[in-house]
Amino acid sequence: VQLVQSGAELRNPGASVKVSCKASGYTFTSYYIDWVRQAPGQGLEWMGRIDPEDGGTEYAQKFQGRVTFTADTSTSTAYVELSSLRSEDTAVYYCETALDGRGDYWGQGTQVTVSS
């Protein structure tokens, strides 16, 4: 099982960013993909999740209206897009999936830096 994320991003305040997470080694449509971030010096913050099978999403209240999760089943890739970026969005963004009886798997993380 592997989750491979896209590379680091640098954005200006007010811009958008889209991070990808390509899954392999399991049935992509059978398990949720969660998105979590960790800002410098802070703990993990859950952003929400997507069900790749039907595209159903759940967003943490803090991110509603500013975050969009999508999934492309043809490439087994999940995406998170965050708009109206501000400096507080500077963080490492992770995708994660929990497989029944096989444990949790995490992507390697994607550094997103918001700076003018």
Side-chain angles (χ1 to χ4, degrees), residues 12-107:
N12 291 325
S16 297
V17 69
K18 192 170 186 177
V19 175
S20 67
C21 170
K22 183 171 177 58
S24 62
Y26 72 100
T27 303
F28 180 63
T29 53
S30 295
Y31 300 95
Y32 286 93
I33 292 281
D34 286 60
W35 288 95
V36 178
R37 74 179 188 181
Q38 186 168 32
Q42 299 189 24
L44 295 172
E45 181 175 35
W46 184 75
M47 300 176 67
R49 58 172 43 173
I50 183 167
D51 181 350
E53 183 174 37
D54 61 8
T57 55
E58 180 182 354
Y59 296 103
Q61 187 170 7
K62 173 178 179 177
F63 299 100
Q64 285 187 358
R66 211 162 61 89
V67 172
T68 303
F69 303 135
T70 55
D72 182 347
T73 57
S74 69
T75 60
S76 297
T77 303
Y79 300 89
V80 56
E81 184 169 16
L82 184 60
S83 61
S84 302
L85 289 168
R86 35 201 187 234
S87 59
E88 307 91 270
D89 295 315
T90 294
V92 180
Y93 289 74
Y94 297 94
C95 57
E96 181 266 344
T97 192
L99 308 186
D100 295 341
R102 296 170 68 184
D104 292 353
Y105 293 87
W106 291 72

